[in-house]
């Protein structure tokens, strides 16, 4: 047999038949109060969330949650490919689809090219370095006049 119960407006405890009081507010809303303590605090206009023994306070401060509900929900981050400053999205996809051997061959060719360029710049810089005059270095913490 199911017993009809009401919920206390202050504490949110169950009120069984024959217990508690029914108070009608000025706006006509019926309020069930389970105990004289709840009635007194309601008439003093106390907020249930500030009273430690009420369900509203327990809900606000996350007390008594079952372990099943305790698991936090997290949204999974979706990976989105975007174009980089030097490359468009199509170029990035093309490079990703290339075989690793081909890409490593390209990388070694590019490295060789850079090394060759450095050699040529060193040769040309080595010839003209005797003519240059360098200013004496002054430490930063010394005052200049």
């Amino acid at each position: 047999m199911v017993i009809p119960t009401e919920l206390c407006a202050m504490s949110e405890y169950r009120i069984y038949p024959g217990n508690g009081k029914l108070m009608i507010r000025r706006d006509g809303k019926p309020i069930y109060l389970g105990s004289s303590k709840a009635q007194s605090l309601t008439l003093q206009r106390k907020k249930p969330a500030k009273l430690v023994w009420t369900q509203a306070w327990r809900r606000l401060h996350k007390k008594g949650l079952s372990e099943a509900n305790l698991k936090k929900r997290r949204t999974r981050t979706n990976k989105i490919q975007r174009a980089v400053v030097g490359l468009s999205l199509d170029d990035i996809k093309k490079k990703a689809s290339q075989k690793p051997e081909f890409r490593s061959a390209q990388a070694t060719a590019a490295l060789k090219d850079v090394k060759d360029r450095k050699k040529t710049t060193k040769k040309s810089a080595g010839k003209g370095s005797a003519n240059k005059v360098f200013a004496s270095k002054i430490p930063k913490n010394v005052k200049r006049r």
Side-chain angles (χ1 to χ4, degrees):
M1 184 170 108
V2 179
I3 300 172
T5 59
E6 300 292 338
L7 284 180
C8 175
M10 176 64 69
S11 63
E12 296 179 33
Y13 291 157
R14 279 200 205 103
I15 305 172
Y16 290 96
N19 296 314
K21 289 185 177 180
L22 171 62
M23 187 176 93
I24 309 295
R25 275 199 326 209
R26 280 186 185 169
D27 62 357
K29 186 181 177 188
I31 290 179
Y32 293 94
L33 299 164
S35 62
S36 58
K37 178 181 179 179
Q39 184 185 8
S40 172
L41 292 165
T42 304
L43 291 174
Q44 293 173 50
R45 290 189 161 72
K46 299 288 183 195
K47 290 182 179 169
K50 291 191 174 183
L51 301 169
V52 181
W53 57 275
T54 60
Q55 291 300 314
W57 185 91
R58 292 182 65 79
R59 197 179 312 111
L60 189 68
H61 292 86
K62 297 181 174 69
K63 305 289 179 189
L65 296 173
S66 64
E67 290 176 20
N69 297 342
L70 200 59
K71 223 178 198 180
K72 289 186 179 179
R73 292 186 203 122
R74 245 178 28 190
T75 55
R76 297 211 173 214
T77 55
N78 296 328
K79 288 189 178 179
I80 299 170
Q81 282 190 328
R82 286 195 277 180
V84 186
V85 173
L87 298 165
S88 69
L89 189 59
D90 297 329
D91 294 340
I92 292 171
K93 284 183 180 175
K94 265 186 216 168
K95 283 199 174 186
S97 64
Q98 289 173 350
K99 290 184 178 171
E101 299 88 24
F102 179 71
R103 289 183 66 191
S104 61
Q106 272 188 331
T108 52
L111 261 172
K112 192 175 182 184
D113 187 38
V114 169
K115 284 181 182 176
D116 289 342
R117 267 192 264 141
K118 278 189 179 179
K119 279 183 187 176
T120 55
T121 53
K122 276 188 181 178
K123 286 179 186 174
S124 63
K127 294 175 185 172
S129 63
N131 304 352
K132 292 181 182 173
V133 178
F134 293 102
S136 60
K137 289 188 176 179
I138 303 169
K140 287 184 178 179
N141 59 355
V142 176
K143 287 187 177 178
R144 296 180 188 130
R145 292 183 183 205

